[in-house]
Amino acid sequence: MSESLILNEASEFIKGRLYFVTLRTRPRSSASVHYFSVDQEYQYENFYSDFGPVNMAVLYRYYCKLNKKLKSPTLTKKKIVHFTSYDSKKRANAAYLIAAYSVSLILPVVVDDGVTCSTIDQMSLLVKPLP
């Protein structure tokens, strides 16, 4: 599948920068597009016979990974495409991750002390380590 066809099929989360798409085969990154998947990296550990969504720790790791890609000097001029497979369980969890990430971009978070944080990065500065 060509790069332009993939981008036409993808959902755009950040205009001209971040996309999400379901693909049958793993595409190769190019000079203008960086592809990545977390299907094998962040797998849901089921409690019973369910399949997700993944827990908050996985969401945080995904947020950090995606932020690192968006801020990377080597990827600044590239479109970033999170792709997933047609496996329904992996697809549902991948969609949850990018949707939750997109919510974090638009909603401020109010923590206990009444401090408003606009990103998870700012919120992590307020988290106190466990004793």
Side-chain angles (χ1 to χ4, degrees):
M1 185 180 277
S2 75
E3 191 173 280
S4 61
L5 188 56
I6 290 172
L7 291 175
N8 284 337
E9 295 289 324
S11 298
E12 190 175 43
F13 280 82
I14 298 175
K15 189 161 182 62
R17 187 81 169 110
L18 179 61
Y19 301 83
F20 178 73
V21 68
T22 303
L23 299 172
R24 295 198 188 284
T25 59
R26 181 180 188 89
R28 287 191 183 175
S29 293
S30 68
S32 61
V33 180
H34 171 75
Y35 296 97
F36 79 100
S37 176
V38 295
D39 287 354
Q40 303 305 317
E41 188 176 353
Y42 301 142
Q43 294 185 6
Y44 177 70
E45 296 177 26
N46 63 329
F47 175 71
Y48 189 58
S49 61
D50 59 342
F51 65 88
V54 293
N55 63 45
M56 291 297 287
V58 171
L59 176 60
Y60 180 76
R61 287 194 299 269
Y62 175 79
Y63 180 91
C64 292
K65 179 184 193 91
L66 190 49
N67 256 6
K68 190 174 183 179
K69 288 181 181 295
L70 290 168
K71 293 176 181 177
S72 171
T74 58
L75 299 176
T76 54
K77 295 188 171 150
K78 290 187 176 192
K79 292 176 176 112
I80 297 173
V81 179
H82 174 177
F83 72 92
T84 188
S85 68
Y86 274 90
D87 178 292
S88 61
K89 294 176 183 179
K90 291 177 181 177
R91 189 177 184 189
N93 283 312
Y96 163 76
L97 287 171
I98 197 158
Y101 179 84
S102 68
V103 168
S104 76
L105 295 175
I106 59 172
L107 293 179
V109 176
V110 178
V111 291
D112 288 343
D113 299 334
V115 176
T116 302
C117 300
S118 59
T119 66
I120 290 177
D121 285 340
Q122 291 174 347
M123 189 168 63
S124 68
L125 298 173
L126 299 172
V127 175
K128 298 174 181 112
L130 296 173

